[in-house]
Amino acid sequence: GNSVTQMEGPVTLSEEAFLTINCTYTATGYPSLFWYVQYPGEGLQLLLKATKADDKGSNKGFEATYRKETTSFHLEKGSVQVSDSAVYFCALSDSGGSNYKLTFGKGTLLTVNP
Amino acid sequence: DSGVTQTPKHLITATGQRVTLRCSPRSGDLSVYWYQQSLDQGLQFLIQYYNGEERAKGNILERFSAQQFPDLHSELNLSSLELGDSALYFCASSVYGNRDPEAFFGQGTRLTVV
């Protein structure tokens, strides 16, 4: 079945540091790929998405490129802020047949220190 | 605010009991998804409904059941509760059932079984 593997956390960075959170996936067909973010005490929010190979999703300074050849969707940000501290989830959509569901990675806790 | 409302926010109950979690999707969304988030299992898909019909099932225990009503709100029923059922339960909604627009998540119901 489909699966998502993302780098184990926690990740601790200083403000303005470069961020990479690795995500690889296994899927049949052509899934869409997502990054969701969960701030403390809140639900998940969509951060960015890409629906086909070589697409780049971007939002709030975060970027991720859908790489079919390496089955990856790594999240990057050039300069993190304290407010970026959250749990980040990589996910893929399973739209096989008439169903649709998201399969999530286990999440990576990011802490950014001032 | 995602527009998805979950009640209650917190629930504490004893082993063997039964509880009902409620979800109101965003206005216009026909699909509702239930996820369980625990420290050891991460974010697990439980079940999906589309316009009142069950569409997909994930790792949902037989002790758990769900339904979606004509007004599109959904309820997740958990019975014969065990300590291991303690988790954060999320509801998400999206417009379609078989395409991949983004899913909008509620803030979750934290269930504690004592």
Side-chain angles (χ1 to χ4, degrees), chain A residues 6-113:
Chain A
Q6 61 182 103
M7 65 187 281
E8 299 274 335
V11 174
T12 302
L13 296 173
S14 297
E15 206 164 24
E16 298 184 4
F18 184 85
L19 168 71
T20 300
I21 301 178
N22 290 337
C23 170
T24 57
Y25 67 91
T26 302
T28 53
Y30 302 93
S32 292
L33 301 174
F34 305 82
W35 277 100
Y36 278 81
V37 58
Q38 185 179 24
Y39 297 104
E42 298 186 11
L44 279 73
Q45 302 172 26
L46 179 67
L47 180 60
L48 53 84
K49 68 177 181 181
T51 57
K52 61 183 188 296
D54 299 325
D55 265 4
K56 178 187 281 189
S58 60
N59 186 24
K60 298 181 182 179
F62 291 89
E63 293 183 340
T65 300
Y66 190 144
R67 300 284 188 205
K68 192 165 167 57
E69 64 276 13
T70 54
T71 61
S72 65
F73 193 55
H74 305 321
L75 182 68
E76 296 183 336
K77 186 174 186 182
S79 176
V80 294
Q81 305 300 311
V82 172
S83 58
D84 294 327
S85 298
V87 181
Y88 292 81
F89 293 90
C90 184
L92 65 83
S93 70
D94 176 359
S95 54
S98 62
N99 303 326
Y100 164 69
K101 67 180 176 73
L102 289 167
T103 300
F104 287 89
K106 289 195 178 293
T108 301
L109 173 63
L110 170 67
T111 302
V112 180
N113 295 317

Side-chain angles (χ1 to χ4, degrees), chain B residues 31-61:
Chain B
S31 262
V32 169
Y33 314 82
W34 286 96
Y35 287 85
Q36 179 193 58
Q37 185 179 33
S38 60
L39 281 175
D40 54 345
Q41 295 293 324
L43 205 59
Q44 298 282 320
F45 168 72
L46 296 178
I47 197 163
Q48 176 201 2
Y49 280 82
Y50 177 73
N51 204 20
E53 294 188 3
E54 182 185 303
R55 187 58 76 85
K57 242 179 180 177
N59 301 321
I60 187 166
L61 300 172

